[in-house]
C-alpha cells in the first residue's frame, strides 16, 4: 500500500525528471531565457497533481559560444515544485549542488481534512 | 565545393530537424501553446544563419487526455524558416503532408550583391 | 524529514519521468526496437539508486508511416524499475493504462538491516 | 526549383539536427557508449534518403560526475552521414570544431544515371 504522501513524492519527481530531459539542450540566451522559463512552467502546471511550479534559469551560466548563444544545461536549472495528492503535499527541488543538477525532496506536509460531523 | 545556396539549404534543415526533436513530447494545451510557439521561435532565431522563423502549432489536434492536456506531436507543427548564407536565401517548411510531418524546401533565392565600382 | 522509503520512491519517479522525455520521438521500427531498449536500460542503470530496470517497447504499436518506420510514443513504453535507498526498495512502473502512459508505484519494501551484536 | 543535390543536402542536415537534439542529455558512460551509438545509428538509418550513418561518441569527454556517470553532450558527437536523392549524394558531418559541435557538408557527388539506348 502506498500513501498519499508517497504518491505526492512520486508525482513531484516524475515532473522534475521529465522537464530536465525535455528541455536540456535547447538553444538559449539571456534574452530568450524568460520565454523558456514560461514555457516550462506552463507545460508542467498542466500535468496531474501539480499545484505550483517556478523555474529560474541561471543566466550567469549562459556564456556565449562563437555564434552568440548558449545551450540549456543541467546546472542552469533552479526549479521548485509543489504537488498534492489528497491532503498530502510534496515540495521538491532541482538545483545545482556541488556541480551536479540535484533533485531532492524539500519537505512533505499533510493538511488536516475537513472533519465530518 | 559547396555553394552558399547549398549551405543555406543545409542550415535551414538543421534547424527544422533540431526543433522537432527538441520539443516533441512537451505537455501542451490550447492555453499553453502560445508560450511554446514563442519559446521555439526565440530558441531558433538565436542560431546562426537564421533570418526568420514562425511557428504555429495546430490547436485542433490538441485533444485532451484524461488529465486534461495533450502532448506536442509531429503533426501539430507548422513552421516556416528562412536562412541566409552570403547572398543566398533558403525558405523551408515543416508541415503535415498526408499524415506525415514533412520537411521541405519551399524555395531558394539569390539576391544581387552590391556591385563594386 | 524524509524517510529512505520516500527517497526510494522519489528516485524511481525521477528515472521514469526522465527516460520518457529523453527517448520519446525517437525514430523506431520493430527491427531497431531492441537497440533502443538496450540503450535505455544501460542509460538508466548508470543513475544513482537504480537496482534494476527492464524496458519493453510494444512492437504492435510500431505501425509504419509512408517511409517505413514509426516514432517512439508514450504508449509503447513498458518499464519496470527498482530503486534502493538504504534498506528501502521501491518498485515502480511505466505502462499504458486506459490510453495514457501511466507511471505508478507497484510496491515499496524494507529489508531488515544486519543486526548489531 | 530545387535539385536532387540540394534535396540530398537538405535531408542530411535534417538528420544531423534531429539526432543531436534527440539524444543530447542522455546519461552515458564509457561502458554504455556503444549501446547509444548503435541505437542512434539504427534510428537514423530508418529515415528516408539515408544511405549510411556512423556515430562515434568521444569517450575521452565522458568524465564521471560524483555518481559515476556522464551526460551525452554536443562535443562528444562524431557523426558521418551519407544521403541520396536520385543520383545525388551528400556526405555531411557533425564534429567538434573550435569548441562547437559543428555540422557541415563534406562533399556532394552525382553519379551518372544509366544511359538510355
Amino acid at each position: 500500500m502506498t500513501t498519499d504522501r508517497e504518491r505526492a513524492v512520486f508525482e513531484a519527481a516524475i515532473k522534475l525528471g521529465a522537464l530536465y530531459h525535455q528541455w536540456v539542450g535547447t538553444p538559449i540566451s539571456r534574452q530568450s531565457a524568460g520565454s523558456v522559463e514560461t514555457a516550462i512552467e506552463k507545460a508542467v502546471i498542466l500535468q496531474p497533481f501539480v499545484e505550483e511550479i517556478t523555474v529560474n534559469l541561471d543566466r550567469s551560466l549562459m556564456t556565449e559560444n562563437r555564434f552568440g548563444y548558449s545551450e540549456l544545461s543541467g546546472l542552469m536549472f533552479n526549479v521548485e515544485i509543489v504537488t498534492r495528492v489528497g491532503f498530502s503535499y510534496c515540495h521538491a527541488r532541482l538545483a545545482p549542488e556541488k556541480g551536479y543538477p540535484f533533485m531532492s525532496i524539500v519537505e512533505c506536509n499533510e493538511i488536516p481534512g475537513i472533519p465530518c460531523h
Side-chain angles (χ1 to χ4, degrees), chain A:
Chain A
M1 280 295 302
T2 59
T3 63
D4 283 353
R5 180 181 172 116
E6 286 160 357
R7 291 182 54 219
V9 166
F10 190 73
E11 295 295 334
I14 290 172
K15 275 67 174 182
L16 293 180
L19 74 87
Y20 185 96
H21 286 272
Q22 179 65 55
W23 279 287
V24 78
T26 303
I28 201 164
S29 72
R30 288 164 196 179
Q31 285 68 47
S32 75
S35 71
V36 176
E37 290 168 341
T38 301
I40 298 176
E41 288 175 352
K42 293 202 177 200
V44 176
I45 202 75
L46 292 173
Q47 297 175 266
F49 309 109
V50 180
E51 292 283 302
E52 274 187 73
I53 170 87
T54 60
V55 178
N56 286 290
L57 301 175
D58 187 345
R59 284 143 178 85
S60 74
L61 298 177
M62 296 179 191
T63 52
E64 298 187 356
N65 62 26
R66 65 183 161 111
F67 295 109
Y69 67 100
S70 187
E71 218 176 72
L72 183 52
S73 65
L75 294 172
M76 293 179 190
F77 283 103
N78 287 276
V79 178
E80 306 279 333
I81 189 169
V82 177
T83 50
R84 176 187 172 177
V85 175
F87 294 108
S88 291
Y89 289 81
C90 177
H91 173 193
R93 177 180 291 157
L94 162 58
E97 194 187 285
K98 300 178 195 162
Y100 183 82
F102 195 65
M103 300 183 194
S104 58
I105 304 172
V106 179
E107 60 174 351
C108 296
N109 281 301
E110 279 76 39
I111 58 166
I114 297 164
C116 307
H117 294 288

